[in-house]
């Protein structure tokens, strides 16, 4: 059944606003929790060393009140870098950023090839999804109970079973350079301090909980965290610069003159105007320079959307004429930088890898050891031209299958029309990060699929 058009225009999401589109896709949109529900959940989750029953107050005692703003700020640094990384895979395509309704977007001096990622558009990694192509972690309980057939009818383009065809691909093998992130370089602590100074974070550099930390990690002020992973990934957040914190008179955790905790204030609509494109990119360039890297080794992009009080800037390191998929990002408000993330580790050459031919790489698309990963949606899907069906609640169960009913086993035919050799990042089990050769294949619909190009002889297939 095709989508109905009898809704009022005011109920339709603004197709020029990516935030509106995301909200419209939320199945829980419009559902409000019962009064006090959020406070009760957070209070239980943050209780330490207390039995669950202690979270329920006596009849005569007031319900515990948790400062939600402080909790959000305290927890935010742990998941945002991961979410940002996953989101970047979904929105970066062959033409750079795809934000649907971004009112101001630019790719400045974009002469490099786009990134190649071995992580799919839905966040799945190679190897997840043997039968249906759907990472099990992405399937809800209902989908698991329904089995592959029901899931097949629900998954988006790029998931499921595929039959790949192609012709005219090269059968020439060879070698291609490889790189690595140098996380063990001397002077890392000094670089962390320099980055903190550029961001206006005061305090000493401390090694805590597996990260270099500058500033309070509880959300009461600007904080910089640099993880001890192979890329030295960092995250910065300044709650005072966040326009959406405008409903809080003082920073979370502060007290009044009477030393009484400040009660949470309802969120407010942010005000202000997004900074200009040049301002956001210049701020990111200054941050890269403060880290000890050369801003000229990156390519930049910036966007915002109508009504937003902030602007985003992105930077991608360019190696051998190609952007890498481990980029930097910065969100800028009128008053200063709201948050930023990136990688402090320098990229160093580690010699050549033997690579398979385009034809062998194509054959890996059907090899369960490598797993075909769609890394960009077809052009029609990116431009919103794919027809979707509106779900209609059933009024009766489906008809009982009869003798000889064919078993539904949908297979998507994918015709590969082009191949490109490039680079992708590969995280090793010990946390180190390689930059290795990979193939990106383009299909007839404009979608792209990627596989590692390193020959079997240089791959470690052990599971331990």
């Amino acid at each position: 059944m095709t989508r109905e058009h009898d809704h009022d225009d005011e109920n339709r999401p603004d197709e020029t606003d990516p935030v509106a589109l995301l909200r419209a896709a939320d199945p829980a949109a419009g559902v409000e929790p019962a009064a006090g529900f959020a406070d009760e959940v957070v209070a239980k989750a943050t209780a330490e060393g207390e039995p669950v029953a202690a979270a329920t107050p006596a009849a005569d005692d007031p319900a515990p009140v948790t400062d939600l703003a402080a909790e959000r700020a305290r927890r935010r640094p742990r998941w945002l870098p991961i979410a940002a990384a996953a989101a970047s895979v979904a929105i970066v395509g062959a033409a750079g950023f795809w934000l649907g309704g971004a009112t101001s977007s630019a790719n400045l001096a974009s002469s490099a090839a786009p990134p190649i990622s071995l992580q799919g558009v839905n966040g799945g990694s190679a190897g997840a999804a043997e039968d249906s192509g759907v990472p099990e972690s992405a399937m809800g309980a209902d989908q698991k109970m329904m089995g592959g057939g029901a899931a097949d009818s629900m998954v988006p383009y790029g998931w499921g079973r595929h039959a790949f065809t192609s012709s005219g691909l090269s059968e020439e093998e060879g070698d291609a350079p490889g790189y690595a992130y140098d996380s063990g370089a001397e002077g890392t602590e000094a670089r962390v301090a320099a980055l903190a100074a550029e961001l206006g974070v005061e305090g000493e550099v401390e090694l805590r909980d597996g990260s270099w930390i500058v500033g309070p990690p509880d959300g009461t002020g600007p904080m910089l965290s640099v993880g001890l992973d192979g890329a030295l990934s960092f995250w910065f957040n300044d709650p005072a610069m966040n326009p959406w914190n405008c409903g809080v008179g003082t920073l979370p955790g502060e007290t009044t003159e009477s030393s009484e905790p400040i009660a949470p204030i309802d969120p407010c609509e942010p005000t202000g105007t997004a900074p200009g494109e040049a301002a956001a990119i210049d701020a990111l360039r200054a941050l890269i320079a403060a880290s000890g890297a050369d801003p000229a080794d990156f390519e930049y992009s910036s966007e915002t959307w109508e009504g937003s009080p902030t602007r985003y800037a992105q930077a991608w390191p360019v190696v051998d004429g190609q952007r890498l998929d481990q980029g930097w990002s910065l969100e800028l408000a009128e008053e200063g930088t709201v948050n930023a993330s990136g990688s402090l580790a320098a990229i160093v050459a580690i010699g050549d890898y033997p690579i398979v031919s385009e034809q062998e790489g194509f054959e890996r698309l059907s090899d369960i050891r490598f797993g075909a990963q769609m890394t960009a949606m077809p052009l029609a899907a990116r431009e919103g031209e794919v027809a979707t069906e509106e779900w209609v609640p059933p009024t009766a169960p489906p008809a009982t299958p009869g003798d000889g009913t064919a078993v539904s086993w949908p297979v998507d035919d994918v015709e590969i029309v082009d191949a490109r050799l490039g680079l992708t990042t590969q995280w090793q089990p010990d946390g180190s990060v390689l930059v290795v050769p990979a193939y990106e294949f383009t299909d007839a619909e404009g979608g792209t699929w990627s596989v590692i190009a390193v020959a079997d002889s240089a791959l470690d297939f052990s599971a331990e």
Side-chain angles (χ1 to χ4, degrees), residues 279-304:
I281 292 178
D282 286 348
L284 186 51
R285 290 177 64 92
L287 197 61
I288 291 172
S291 75
D294 186 351
D297 292 338
F298 292 73
E299 284 192 347
Y300 301 84
S301 176
S302 175
E303 71 284 322
T304 186

Side-chain angles (χ1 to χ4, degrees), residues 260-280:
E260 292 295 327
I262 299 174
I265 300 176
D266 291 337
C268 68
E269 192 68 25
T271 59
T273 303
E277 176 183 284

Side-chain angles (χ1 to χ4, degrees), residues 66-389:
T66 300
D67 187 341
L68 293 180
E71 288 302 315
R72 290 180 182 129
R74 179 176 66 84
R75 294 168 180 254
R76 190 181 192 194
R78 294 188 179 273
W79 63 266
L80 269 177
I82 301 174
S88 69
V89 176
I91 62 178
V92 176
F97 262 73
W98 169 57
L99 285 177
T103 59
S104 178
S105 179
N107 266 324
L108 303 184
S110 181
S111 59
I116 295 179
S117 175
L118 295 183
Q119 190 173 40
V121 293
N122 300 296
S125 60
E130 294 184 359
D131 286 332
S132 67
V134 183
E136 185 174 351
S137 61
M139 295 176 62
D142 293 340
Q143 287 175 288
K144 293 178 183 178
M145 292 175 64
M146 289 186 293
D152 287 338
S153 66
M154 296 181 174
V155 297
Y157 187 99
W159 278 2
R161 288 166 286 273
H162 311 287
F164 295 94
T165 59
S166 184
S167 62
L169 295 177
S170 171
E171 297 185 2
E172 181 181 355
E173 300 176 349
D175 299 281
Y179 302 86
Y181 280 81
D182 184 9
S183 57
E186 297 182 2
T188 298
E189 184 175 353
R191 295 177 64 195
V192 174
L195 191 66
E198 176 65 25
L199 290 165
V201 184
E202 298 180 353
E204 298 296 325
V205 179
E206 301 180 20
L207 185 60
R208 286 183 289 171
D209 301 325
S211 299
W212 293 107
I213 302 290
V214 185
D218 58 0
T220 59
M223 187 272 290
L224 172 66
S225 173
V226 181
L228 297 183
D229 57 44
L232 297 178
S233 306
F234 76 85
W235 167 255
F236 163 78
N237 178 56
D238 187 348
M241 297 297 174
N242 191 335
W244 285 271
N245 284 347
C246 56
V248 181
T250 56
L251 290 178
E254 290 188 355
T255 58
T256 60
E257 293 181 359
S258 62
S259 297
E260 292 295 327
I262 299 174
I265 300 176
D266 291 337
C268 68
E269 192 68 25
T271 59
T273 303
E277 176 183 284
I281 292 178
D282 286 348
L284 186 51
R285 290 177 64 92
L287 197 61
I288 291 172
S291 75
D294 186 351
D297 292 338
F298 292 73
E299 284 192 347
Y300 301 84
S301 176
S302 175
E303 71 284 322
T304 186
W305 59 88
E306 184 177 356
S308 172
T310 64
R311 174 180 281 274
Y312 292 89
Q314 296 80 27
W316 293 271
V318 176
V319 177
D320 290 344
Q322 185 203 288
R323 295 181 177 187
L324 299 185
D325 57 354
Q326 300 291 318
W328 291 51
S329 68
L330 178 144
E331 182 182 9
L332 188 67
E334 286 183 311
E335 300 300 323
T337 300
V338 179
N339 57 66
S341 63
S343 303
L344 286 186
I347 300 170
V348 296
I350 58 172
D352 290 351
Y353 281 100
I355 62 171
V356 299
S357 66
E358 292 179 354
Q359 178 63 31
E360 289 177 280
F362 163 77
E363 293 169 1
R364 285 183 172 183
L365 293 176
S366 302
D367 189 332
I368 196 171
R369 296 176 303 167
F370 299 97
Q373 294 297 308
M374 169 167 274
T375 52
M377 297 291 283
L379 293 175
R382 279 179 269 168
E383 295 170 1
E385 298 176 1
V386 177
T388 58
E389 295 183 357

